[in-house]
Structure formats: structure tokens, C-alpha cells
Amino acid sequence: MQRKAFEIPKSLLWMAYQDVRRNRGAPGCDGQTLTDFDRQRDHNLYRIWNRLCSGSYFPPPVREKRIPKDNGKERILGIPTVSDRVAQGAVKRYVEAVIDPIFHPDSYGYRPGRSAHDALRQCSIRCRRKNWVLEVDISAFFDHVGHDLIIKALEHHQMPKWVILYCRRWLQAPMQSETGLLQERGRGTPQGGVISPLLANLFLHYAFDRWMDRTHRGVPFERYADDIVIHCTRMSEAVRIRESLTRRMSEVGLTINEEKSKIVYIDTFERHNVATSFTFLGYDFKVRTLKNSKGELFRKCMPGASMKAMRRMVDTIKHWSIHRSTTDDLRDFSRRYNAVIRGWIEYYGKFWYRNFSYRLCSALQSRLLKWVKSKYRISIRQAEHRLRLVRRESPELFAHWYLLRASNV
């Protein structure tokens, strides 16, 4: 029996395949769906494993997917094929087991056992201890991260030759545009790739996390991939770190977005001519007026769903055009939209959610009321009564109904 060039456990491929099944995802440039892959699952998995072990695996191009951003620009994703997602997942599992334990405790993005909510919770605690915040935005990080520094970091951790070989090939894999043209890439790691977040974390572990510990020891921060918040005691400290960080990013081939990176003052005492709120992971951080169990008002820094996120949710609900779909019934809407509504609630309902729950419920209920009114040709008061009866009979029909507090809504 011929000896393989690399010894790669088959179990890695099987676990990676299970991850791909859970995450689903769109087809890559070959058009193959997960259903297509499963028709010859065992054969396909063996072929991937055999090519990885022999050193003959070459990743196909990633499919370009353009996502419009709120500022009118586009975010470019690179969608790998199903087979390539399995191959990337196998290598990711191997590398992650070795390097994740050495990552910084305040790095939260795309790591097992950590989440965006963990980063938000820690950020909220530190905003009450330190009044000044430096919000950092790296310009197009995933498009400009340097390949040579990622490979150098992998070599530093003495990764096997097959890991370095395939990571280099994935970093250099071309991107196929919607017109079919192939674009060669000398920098960047495509968003949408399975292994890209891990390689990005490894890059920023040395480019930022270790650098902060070395040059600004004791200054706390939270980093979720390339989203960074740094907590400072004084404004002068925040200014000094921003200048130092700008030089550091230049050293590693990146730039700080000066428009989006800002110094923020977070305290119950107002201060003029300085920003008093910032956005981190879809949440706005600012001082809010709250009420304790005794009904007494007090002010405190709390994260809440950002205005941008809420506007996006309301726009999405409007585009559903529920009130025009009079041939459907409420259960059709429930099956169609509940997963999206539940996702919003699970992500944005973890912290101060009074404003979020009001905006979400208001937007949804108004559309449902219009639908009842149009379908049954009744007045708005009659529609409210009919919808209230449905809520009492089937309180779990819509994911947002448990947020409603007033019985007459």
C-alpha cells in the first residue's frame, strides 16, 4: 500500500462535514448544493481526504457575493464550494485545537465557547469603570490582511507542512466574479471562508492583542474579529493609544478608518464637544435612564440594540408586505418569518431591550393589524379585537408575542 504524503485523520473530515451540514450555506462556483453533495457523500468525503493526504488538493475559486452596506458601499464575500468548506473545516479544526488556547482572553470573535454577547457584557462592565472609550475601525481588514504574516505565524507555532501548504493555497485562491472572471488575490482572506476567521484571529493576535499587552500593559479592550473597543482612564490616554495604534497598523499593512474610529466619553455627567455614545456589535452603548425595583430613576451606561439595526429590522418587515398577502393566513406568516424574528430577539434582546421590543412589536403588530383589516374588510378596532383573540388562543404563534406587555395591543 502506497504511503500518503501527509497523515490526516479521517475523523477531521467527518467532523468538518457535520459542521457544514449544521451551517448549510449557499453553493460555490460549481453550483453544487449540500443535497447534491450528499447523493455521493462517502465517495466525495473520501476523495477530499485522499487529495488532502497526497498533497494534490487545490481549492477551486471562491464565488463572489456582494452584500450592500448601509453607507451605499458593498461588502464582498467569497463563498467556497461545499467540498472546499469540508476541506477548510478539517484543517480549521486541527489548527484551532492548537492555537485557540493561546489567544487573548479579550478576543471573542469566532472562537469556541465565546460569543458576541460575552464581548458586549464585558464591554458594558468596563464602561462603568472607565469613562473614556476608543472605538477602533480597521479599513477593509479582510481585504488587506497580509498573507506572509499569517504564514509566518503558522510557522511560529510549528504547524505541520500540510497545514501551511493548504492555508497558503486558500489565501491565494482566486475569486470568481458574477460574470465568471477570475480575480487573482495577493492580499486578504475572503469573508465567507470557513478558515478565514481563524486566520484573521491569528493575524490580529500578534498585530494587536500581543502588541497591546506589550506597549500598553493594563489597558483593557474587547476585540471581536476586527471590531475593537479600548477603555481608557483619560482622554489624553485615548489620544496617545490612537496615534500609537495608527502607526502599528501601518507596520502590518493595515489602516485605521479615521471617520469611524472615535474617542467617546461615557459617564452620567455630560460633557460637550465630545461623542457620548458608540456602536459595538450592533449595540449602541450610552448612558440611559433606568428604573430600579423601587421605582426610582437612575442613570447608567447600558448597551441596547443600535438605531441602525432597528431601522434595518423595520425596513425588512416593511418589505415582507404582510398586509398585501390576503390570500395567506397567520400560520403561513408564522412559518415564513418566525425564524428571522426569533433570531432578532435572541441577539438584540439580551440586554436593555425596552426600546428594541417596542420598535419590533410595533412594526410587526401594525402589519398584522393591516392584514386582518384588509382580509376581513373590518374596522381597525374589530381587527385589534380579532388579533387579540388569536393571541390568547395561540400565544406562541409568533415569536414576538411574549414581548407584548399591554393586553390591548
Side-chain angles (χ1 to χ4, degrees):
M1 184 175 179
Q2 187 176 3
R3 181 180 175 84
K4 298 289 186 183
F6 305 121
E7 295 296 330
I8 302 174
K10 288 183 179 179
S11 59
L12 282 178
L13 271 294
W14 179 249
M15 289 186 290
Y17 165 74
Q18 296 296 336
D19 292 338
V20 172
R21 279 196 61 82
R22 279 191 295 271
N23 297 329
R24 307 298 296 181
C29 63
D30 61 355
Q32 185 186 53
T33 65
L34 187 58
T35 303
D36 298 332
F37 184 91
D38 282 344
R39 291 195 181 100
Q40 292 184 297
R41 184 194 66 187
D42 294 345
H43 170 74
N44 290 330
L45 289 176
Y46 178 80
R47 183 174 59 181
I48 298 168
W49 173 79
N50 189 47
R51 290 181 177 177
L52 286 173
C53 289
S54 66
S56 62
Y57 181 83
F58 287 88
V62 293
R63 179 172 66 88
E64 181 185 75
K65 176 71 173 178
R66 292 178 177 270
I67 306 295
K69 299 169 68 174
D70 295 328
N71 59 6
K73 298 181 180 179
E74 292 180 318
R75 176 179 287 108
I76 300 177
L77 304 183
I79 310 299
T81 64
V82 175
S83 296
D84 200 39
R85 291 206 292 272
V86 174
Q88 288 190 37
V91 178
K92 171 183 173 289
R93 278 183 164 271
Y94 182 91
V95 176
E96 191 172 64
V98 176
I99 67 173
D100 187 78
I102 64 100
F103 281 163
H104 198 282
D106 285 319
S107 168
Y108 295 90
Y110 310 109
R111 296 182 60 189
R114 290 168 174 262
S115 69
H117 290 135
D118 294 329
L120 291 163
R121 188 174 297 107
Q122 185 65 272
C123 183
S124 179
I125 293 170
R126 286 171 172 164
C127 279
R128 296 167 204 160
R129 295 174 180 169
K130 292 179 178 286
N131 297 337
W132 292 93
V133 166
L134 173 58
E135 181 186 8
V136 180
D137 183 87
I138 302 175
S139 298
F141 167 73
F142 281 90
D143 296 333
H144 294 99
V145 60
H147 294 174
D148 55 339
L149 293 178
I150 292 177
I151 298 302
K152 183 178 179 181
L154 290 170
E155 292 172 342
H156 173 73
H157 288 281
Q158 299 180 337
M159 286 293 154
K161 290 183 179 179
W162 58 271
V163 169
I164 296 173
L165 172 68
Y166 293 125
C167 285
R168 181 180 279 113
R169 287 179 182 175
W170 280 313
L171 289 169
Q172 296 174 350
M175 182 173 291
Q176 182 175 299
S177 68
E178 295 178 357
T179 60
L181 294 176
L182 294 182
Q183 307 165 30
E184 298 297 328
R185 294 186 303 110
R187 298 183 66 82
T189 179
Q191 286 183 273
V194 174
I195 204 168
S196 292
L198 178 62
L199 298 181
N201 263 340
L202 179 61
F203 181 94
L204 285 174
H205 173 72
Y206 289 103
F208 177 78
D209 301 349
R210 290 284 298 273
W211 174 82
M212 279 291 292
D213 284 347
R214 188 171 63 251
T215 60
H216 302 283
R217 184 178 297 276
V219 176
F221 65 88
E222 294 84 35
R223 182 177 66 79
Y224 192 95
D226 60 328
D227 291 327
I228 304 170
V229 171
I230 303 172
H231 303 269
C232 304
T233 305
R234 299 177 301 277
M235 183 177 184
S236 58
E237 182 183 36
V239 171
R240 187 173 67 253
I241 293 176
R242 183 172 62 179
E243 294 172 350
S244 178
L245 182 58
T246 299
R247 292 192 296 270
R248 172 58 177 173
M249 290 296 105
S250 179
E251 291 172 2
V252 296
L254 300 173
T255 56
I256 298 294
N257 188 326
E258 296 295 337
E259 292 183 2
K260 293 185 178 180
S261 299
K262 59 183 179 180
I263 296 174
V264 181
Y265 180 71
I266 300 289
D267 199 357
T268 54
F269 300 100
E270 295 184 1
R271 181 176 290 228
H272 301 291
N273 301 322
V274 65
T276 56
S277 68
F278 67 95
T279 303
F280 181 48
L281 302 179
Y283 275 77
D284 284 342
F285 281 77
K286 61 182 178 181
V287 174
R288 305 176 190 271
T289 301
L290 308 174
K291 185 184 294 185
N292 62 20
S293 58
K294 297 179 181 179
E296 300 168 336
L297 298 178
F298 67 99
R299 288 172 62 75
K300 178 181 177 182
C301 177
M302 283 287 289
S306 70
M307 294 302 296
K308 182 186 293 186
M310 288 192 288
R311 282 195 297 269
R312 194 182 302 121
M313 283 184 276
V314 172
D315 288 342
T316 300
I317 294 168
K318 288 179 180 178
H319 290 152
W320 288 345
S321 300
I322 291 174
H323 61 289
R324 293 196 179 97
S325 306
T326 52
T327 57
D328 295 329
D329 60 31
L330 290 175
R331 296 196 179 277
D332 292 328
F333 298 141
S334 174
R335 286 190 293 268
R336 198 176 302 158
Y337 305 125
N338 251 358
V340 177
I341 298 169
R342 193 174 293 112
W344 288 337
I345 294 172
E346 288 177 356
Y347 187 77
Y348 292 106
K350 290 290 184 182
F351 300 97
W352 188 81
Y353 62 89
R354 185 176 64 187
N355 195 27
F356 158 71
S357 60
Y358 172 78
R359 290 285 294 272
L360 176 64
C361 293
S362 176
L364 280 167
Q365 287 301 104
S366 65
R367 266 70 190 175
L368 291 176
L369 282 172
K370 285 183 179 180
W371 175 84
V372 175
K373 182 175 179 293
S374 300
K375 185 176 180 68
Y376 299 103
R377 298 182 182 278
I378 56 179
S379 68
I380 192 66
R381 180 170 294 184
Q382 290 172 317
E384 289 175 349
H385 177 70
R386 186 184 285 263
L387 195 58
R388 195 178 305 120
L389 290 178
V390 176
R391 273 182 54 206
R392 289 175 183 172
E393 292 172 2
S394 306
E396 297 182 356
L397 183 61
F398 286 97
H400 73 285
W401 274 359
Y402 84 94
L403 295 175
L404 296 172
R405 299 182 182 273
S407 60
N408 63 340
V409 176

